[in-house]
Amino acid sequence: MAAENLAVSRETFDNVILPVYAPAQFVPVKGKGSRVWDQQGKEYIDFSGGIAVTALGHCHPALVETLKSQGETLWHTSNVFTNEPALRLASKLIAATFAERVFFGNSGAEANEAAFKLARYYACKKHSPFKSKIIAFHNAFHGRTLFTVSVGGQPKYSDGFGPKPADIVHVPFNDLAAVKAVIDDHTCAIVVEPIQGEGGVMPATPEFMQGLRELCDQHNALLVLDEVQSGMGRSGKLFAYEHYGIRPDIITSAKALGGGFPVSAMLTTHEIASVMAPGVHGTTYGGNPLACAIAETALDIINTPEVLNGVDARREQFVTALQKINEQFDVFSEIRGKGLLLGAVLNAQHASKARDILNASAAEGLMVLTAGSDVIRFVPSLVIEPTDIAEGMARFARAIGKVLN
Ligand SMILES: *Cc1c(COP(=O)(O)O)cnc(C)c1O
């Protein structure tokens, strides 16, 4: 095969890839469970989970089996024809959630794009074309299409790409009074992550989420929850909204939905979905049989008491180990998040060292993430072995020691 004759390395990246990423200095070539190996054969423990994607670890045997069997059966039909895996996956997502209708896409941004378009379209059809205001939050992250970076609350991701979509208002997260001050009858939706991921691993408070639900009801606005990172078992429940005792109008899922295969979903009610009609929205690959078969297997495994109940025990092990590291090094001001979406916040003395700690961790054989300049983020496999957590944390302690000394 020609592809195997061409030698590539980390240096190749700088010569062939659009410079929008700054990947680590090693190139992973193989993964199994929560272990990864690079081109030189060096082994890593993976606490990064491909950014909260590989929720069942690398190359989970059941996912590999589905990839192979569906791969030998039917990959793609387009939405001119429906298919069995998509119909089964949608039925199972509906059975497991508040939802009654599903739209499939290929990425988190696409699911959110569909959600925001649906919210505007629903308001336009049911109320008025002037009911277009979207309320979103500082530090929110919703993806990289122009609409989703505009709803996202980090101007550095949207500046320079204007003109931006209009009528989007940003207010501080977890600040109900700030939402009250801007919501009105021209608001079509509030868009929020139940746990802000990229923005620093920050959970919404129960009062905030319940307050948003009430404000939406008062103003006939839709509550849109971006569960791209917080969903699919990450928080210890299938979707994080279940922690808050509220019923959303729309949620989006991606990342762990396919366990590593690209697929996303937007879930909503029959009533809201009913404003849509053939041709109003769509995507070529969305709901393709290969992606949906893999996601169905991932859902079958994740949506079990065994996996969901295992999340909190693993979180405990992480938190205990991080507290021990903190006793030794006095480096964190707070460990926060929910379930296996964990953030270790660097204290003022060590703020902005997150990237150095990520690099030092890699040198010790550990993959971690950052969330901003002062938060180390851990989003490992939901079924990571306790021995891998222990060994990974030993490596993390060594990395912290090197950065601080
Ligand atoms: C990752 C992420 C997205 C974007 O998903 P992509 O698959 O990269 O488009 C959107 N929202 C949240 C909360 C995310 O964490």
Side-chain angles (χ1 to χ4, degrees), residues 311-381:
V311 168
D312 276 344
R314 286 170 173 83
R315 177 188 178 81
E316 276 302 308
Q317 200 187 341
F318 268 92
V319 171
T320 304
L322 287 167
Q323 282 166 347
K324 231 180 110 207
I325 290 171
N326 207 26
E327 278 163 26
Q328 193 182 348
F329 295 104
D330 188 22
V331 56
F332 307 125
S333 60
E334 188 188 1
I335 311 296
R336 67 190 181 203
K338 261 194 177 27
L340 285 171
L341 175 45
L342 284 137
V345 187
L346 297 171
N347 61 28
Q349 197 194 337
H350 301 294
S352 81
K353 287 190 187 146
R355 187 76 202 189
D356 294 342
I357 293 171
L358 182 153
N359 289 333
S361 297
E364 295 297 330
L366 177 69
M367 296 154 81
V368 300
L369 300 175
T370 61
S373 60
D374 63 353
V375 179
I376 309 292
R377 180 172 34 152
F378 305 94
V379 277
S381 159

Side-chain angles (χ1 to χ4, degrees), residues 107-109 112 141-143 193 198 226 228-229 255:
S107 67
N112 284 332
F141 184 79
H142 300 300
E193 295 159 88
E198 305 303 310
D226 179 346
V228 168
Q229 189 154 168
K255 291 209 162 92

Side-chain angles (χ1 to χ4, degrees), residues 51-53 106-112 140-145 148 193-198 226-230 252 254-255 263-264 377:
I51 316 190
V53 167
N106 310 285
S107 67
E110 270 182 86
N112 284 332
F141 184 79
H142 300 300
R144 301 298 197 125
T145 65
T148 56
E193 295 159 88
I195 308 162
Q196 284 194 337
E198 305 303 310
D226 179 346
E227 292 240 27
V228 168
Q229 189 154 168
S230 62
T252 54
K255 291 209 162 92
V263 56
S264 68
R377 180 172 34 152

Side-chain angles (χ1 to χ4, degrees), residues 176-228:
L176 204 55
V179 181
K180 268 186 200 147
V182 296
I183 197 166
D184 57 19
D185 289 343
H186 296 296
T187 303
C188 69
I190 297 177
V191 175
V192 65
E193 295 159 88
I195 308 162
Q196 284 194 337
E198 305 303 310
V201 188
M202 184 69 88
T205 63
E207 308 78 63
F208 181 63
M209 284 295 259
Q210 286 152 13
L212 294 182
R213 177 69 272 174
E214 283 165 24
L215 287 173
C216 283
D217 291 343
Q218 282 161 20
H219 295 279
N220 285 316
L222 301 184
L223 182 59
V224 179
L225 301 187
D226 179 346
E227 292 240 27
V228 168

Side-chain angles (χ1 to χ4, degrees), residues 117-134 167 184-189 219-221 275:
K117 284 181 69 179
L118 175 57
R120 286 246 172 108
Y121 202 72
Y122 179 77
C124 179
K125 293 279 156 181
K126 289 276 169 170
H127 302 284
S128 125
F130 303 106
K131 191 174 170 66
S132 58
K133 185 195 284 185
I134 292 175
D167 212 7
D184 57 19
D185 289 343
H186 296 296
T187 303
C188 69
H219 295 279
N220 285 316
V275 297

Side-chain angles (χ1 to χ4, degrees), residues 51-75:
I51 316 190
V53 167
T54 49
L56 296 172
H58 296 278
C59 302
H60 188 286
L63 296 183
V64 172
E65 176 51 37
T66 300
L67 180 66
K68 286 183 179 165
S69 61
Q70 187 64 40
E72 288 169 350
T73 306
L74 186 69
W75 291 22

